Amino acid sequence: MNANTNSKFDLKVFSKTVGWSYRESLPDNLNPQLSAGIPIQFMKRYGIVPICNQNDEFIVAAISKPKQLDALDVLADYYELPIEIVIMPNDLVADLIQQLAENRRASSQKLLQDSLENESIHQVLDQIQDVLITDSDHPFIIRFTNSMLAEAIESGASDIHLEPDRTGMRIRFRIDGMMQDRANASSHTSELIASRIKVMAKMDVSNRIHPQDGSLTITVGKSPRDLRISSVPTPFGERVVIRILGRAEQHTDLLKLGMSDEMVEKIDTILSQNEGFLLVAGPTGSGKTTTLYAALHRIDCNTRNTMTIEDPVEYHVPGVSHVEVGQNRNISFGDGLRSILRQDPDIIMVGEIRDGDTAGTALRAALTGHMILSTIHTHDPAGAVIRLLDLGVDAALIAETLTAVIDQRLIRLLCPHCKQLIDDQNHYSPAGCIHCDHTGYKGRRALFRFIGIDQSLRSAIRNRDHDKIEQLVTCHCDEQLKKHANLLIEKGLTSLSESQRILQG
Ligand SMILES: [Zn+2]
């Protein structure tokens, strides 16, 4: 017994302790399972390690800093048992904690594997509620985050939204374009989950007041998937959105996306030309980029130098040079485009036309021996042309170079497992089952309309005649979407109500 320690340490202060002793060697009855719910950081900070449970009568804990009353109270409350204290030298306690940390790292690898296989986020969340967790590296938080990512990828989600509010955090997935509630976490847990995501994406965990971006790659099954993370502060905590980028093999065929043979032929003709400008229009999440990728797959990259400028690079197409621009890299689309024009490209895909600078540079490139493919955010095909004019690009330049506009929407397909026949004309309505998360729909198909820019449209553009542009484009293609949607209804692939939702939107 050490007299010095004894004199500093008044046992009567602790109501939750049952006695104490002093030892200078490692205990041989350490039970690593006992401390599984206690964060390593907590043990390090207070120099305390729960060692064993004595017949459910008391917990034996090693401690190097016997003045940590709060920590002893926390342990006693956590185990709902009094604590017997073993005072040990600093370095021995540190060794014990180190040993536990290594055990945990090994077992969290195992847990990671397990959670990627079959553990629903609800199961993990339920377990988290029972455990005292203060750090985002805790195996439960790691397990929860991994399960959430795996569940989202397996259900085909394009985004995960972590939305803090007054009471905690709502976790929603976007599947086939629609938001779906998945789980609710407590405020305390939600902060740790957000931190865990930020750690994985190499973002600044200590900074919770500025918006941040990050990225990471996760492997589920055999294929690696790229994730893009964005965090934004809100009064209730950080709102985190995880975008799950697509798998390259899903996006290689225009016909499989839903394009008709006739339209694919027109695209091929355009792509075979040496210069021009092909613009894909549609609202956010309508699959514009996917269409461009499928178009890139139709180009013979061995004979033509094909480059892309994207924010972010979503998939890698063999033979194509991808360049990433954006806030993270401090390069705009316009800057990126100017620099790759010096790399002697034949075909350039510009991820999106967002500003006048990019639009002007892209159109001038199209005029000087380059085939340019790009997307623009609009709600109707005439809007794409008008948007270019509104961005301040010279009308004559647009009229001269714009080759065609593809306008597209994504329509949800009925779940083949549960769709219900409602009449004798092969019309089905959605029902809902486990295969479709009870939504009645599974997967989407693109609806396209194609607007070739002809002489009359060119002159309307040159004259900046919005009404005429509207009239010509509408007359060119208004029926195309409807016809295409009706075809899918007749085949029993989608429902009347889904078609109405898309056509009105
Ligand atoms: Zn179903």
Side-chain angles (χ1 to χ4, degrees):
M1 187 157 302
N2 184 309
N4 280 339
T5 315
N6 200 2
S7 64
K8 284 184 199 162
F9 187 56
D10 181 3
L11 264 184
K12 293 187 186 73
V13 184
F14 307 108
S15 56
K16 290 174 179 169
T17 55
V18 290
W20 66 283
S21 58
Y22 182 85
R23 60 181 295 156
E24 288 191 327
S25 59
L26 285 172
D28 47 14
N29 54 349
L30 175 72
N31 174 4
Q33 292 308 320
L34 180 67
S35 59
I38 310 293
I40 296 289
Q41 272 180 5
F42 174 89
M43 294 193 261
K44 275 191 186 158
R45 190 176 317 133
Y46 297 106
I48 193 166
V49 182
I51 294 173
C52 67
N53 178 336
Q54 287 292 358
N55 308 320
D56 274 342
E57 287 168 14
F58 58 91
I59 298 291
V60 180
I63 189 162
S64 61
K65 304 167 184 166
K67 289 202 156 177
Q68 300 291 5
L69 311 183
D70 291 350
L72 287 168
D73 274 357
V74 168
L75 279 194
D77 287 345
Y78 175 66
Y79 291 110
E80 294 177 350
L81 288 174
I83 308 292
E84 186 185 87
I85 303 159
V86 181
I87 300 166
M88 289 194 349
N90 242 332
D91 50 346
L92 279 188
V93 173
D95 280 354
L96 274 177
I97 296 172
Q98 185 63 24
Q99 199 180 319
L100 287 171
E102 274 161 27
N103 282 348
R104 253 181 224 190
R105 242 190 305 274
S107 67
S108 71
Q109 281 303 322
K110 166 85 176 66
L111 291 172
L112 193 158
Q113 214 53 46
D114 292 348
S115 63
L116 288 182
E117 275 153 23
N118 49 15
E119 193 168 35
S120 86
I121 56 179
H122 295 283
Q123 286 168 324
V124 193
L125 262 185
D126 284 349
Q127 294 170 54
I128 289 179
Q129 315 296 355
D130 302 335
V131 183
L132 170 83
I133 296 177
T134 59
D135 64 321
S136 60
D137 284 338
H138 190 281
F140 269 131
I141 297 296
I142 294 177
R143 234 162 96 186
F144 175 81
T145 309
N146 290 339
S147 295
M148 178 180 76
L149 296 175
E151 201 167 302
I153 289 171
E154 271 158 22
S155 54
S158 58
D159 305 85
I160 303 169
H161 291 244
L162 307 179
E163 302 163 0
D165 57 26
R166 227 173 264 282
T167 56
M169 181 171 74
R170 182 153 74 141
I171 299 169
R172 297 199 288 170
F173 291 176
R174 187 184 288 282
I175 300 174
D176 290 342
M178 308 297 255
M179 295 290 266
Q180 288 181 15
D181 271 321
R182 292 309 269 221
N184 290 295
S186 69
S187 305
H188 174 64
T189 317
S190 70
E191 217 171 88
L192 297 169
I193 295 168
S195 293
R196 174 67 196 158
I197 299 279
K198 288 170 73 181
V199 167
M200 291 171 82
K202 298 194 173 63
M203 294 154 76
D204 180 359
V205 183
S206 60
N207 182 351
R208 291 184 180 161
I209 52 171
H210 294 111
Q212 288 185 60
D213 292 313
S215 64
L216 69 110
T217 303
I218 178 172
T219 301
V220 175
K222 279 183 184 159
S223 49
R225 298 294 292 272
D226 287 326
L227 310 181
R228 297 300 153 130
I229 324 295
S230 134
S231 75
V232 175
T234 77
F236 306 111
E238 279 178 293
R239 193 183 191 290
V240 177
V241 176
I242 304 164
R243 188 164 163 215
I244 303 168
L245 302 184
R247 262 199 305 254
E249 66 265 31
Q250 292 176 329
H251 308 285
T252 54
D253 193 339
L254 285 173
L255 290 168
K256 278 193 191 143
L257 294 178
M259 203 175 265
S260 66
D261 292 322
E262 187 194 355
M263 207 179 281
V264 172
E265 233 169 81
K266 286 180 183 165
I267 306 278
D268 280 343
T269 310
I270 293 172
L271 293 177
S272 68
Q273 293 164 9
N274 289 328
E275 54 186 30
F277 192 92
L278 174 65
L279 196 53
V280 181
T284 307
S286 58
K288 302 186 287 289
T289 311
T290 306
T291 302
L292 282 189
Y293 274 102
L296 286 183
H297 275 276
R298 304 189 72 81
I299 295 165
D300 179 4
C301 296
N302 292 322
T303 56
R304 299 170 85 192
N305 181 14
T306 307
M307 301 184 78
T308 74
I309 318 165
E310 300 163 78
D311 173 21
V313 172
E314 298 204 17
Y315 332 96
H316 286 270
V317 181
V320 172
S321 305
H322 297 269
V323 176
E324 186 155 310
V325 296
Q327 261 183 350
N328 270 355
R329 293 172 191 265
N330 232 345
I331 313 171
S332 71
F333 272 113
D335 294 337
L337 184 53
R338 274 185 289 276
S339 59
I340 71 166
L341 280 169
R342 295 191 283 271
Q343 303 259 319
D344 186 28
D346 297 306
I347 295 169
I348 307 168
M349 168 186 148
V350 181
E352 191 185 349
I353 301 285
R354 286 182 197 159
D355 54 73
D357 178 37
T358 311
T361 312
L363 285 158
R364 276 189 297 277
L367 192 65
T368 54
H370 305 94
M371 173 53 66
I372 310 286
L373 319 176
S374 192
T375 70
I376 197 159
H377 178 119
T378 55
H379 285 272
D380 64 280
V385 178
I386 291 166
R387 180 87 205 284
L388 283 179
L389 288 169
D390 288 347
L391 285 174
V393 185
D394 179 16
L397 187 60
I398 304 172
E400 191 69 29
T401 52
L402 190 61
T403 317
V405 177
I406 298 169
D407 179 54
Q408 73 177 78
R409 297 286 181 280
L410 288 175
I411 190 165
R412 289 182 298 164
L413 300 178
L414 285 162
C415 169
H417 299 280
C418 62
K419 64 178 181 181
Q420 284 177 342
L421 191 63
I422 47 167
D423 58 21
D424 54 3
Q425 293 174 296
N426 202 32
H427 287 155
Y428 288 85
S429 73
C433 70
I434 51 160
H435 298 281
C436 56
D437 287 316
H438 304 280
T439 58
Y441 293 95
K442 187 125 186 96
R444 286 184 295 178
R445 185 73 60 84
L447 302 178
F448 294 102
R449 40 189 173 181
F450 182 95
I451 306 100
I453 309 296
D454 60 9
Q455 280 316 320
S456 51
L457 250 174
R458 283 186 206 290
S459 92
I461 294 171
R462 227 174 259 120
N463 296 329
R464 296 183 160 270
D465 187 341
H466 288 203
D467 292 343
K468 187 80 180 163
I469 293 170
E470 199 98 47
Q471 183 201 335
L472 285 169
V473 170
T474 306
C475 134
H476 267 280
C477 69
D478 210 29
E479 285 305 297
Q480 287 183 38
L481 273 191
K482 211 172 183 179
K483 224 172 102 184
H484 198 159
N486 284 341
L487 213 65
L488 293 176
I489 295 170
E490 280 162 28
K491 288 183 182 165
L493 290 172
T494 193
S495 68
L496 279 164
S497 56
E498 174 66 2
S499 159
Q500 276 159 6
R501 186 181 75 85
I502 293 298
L503 297 179
Q504 281 162 8

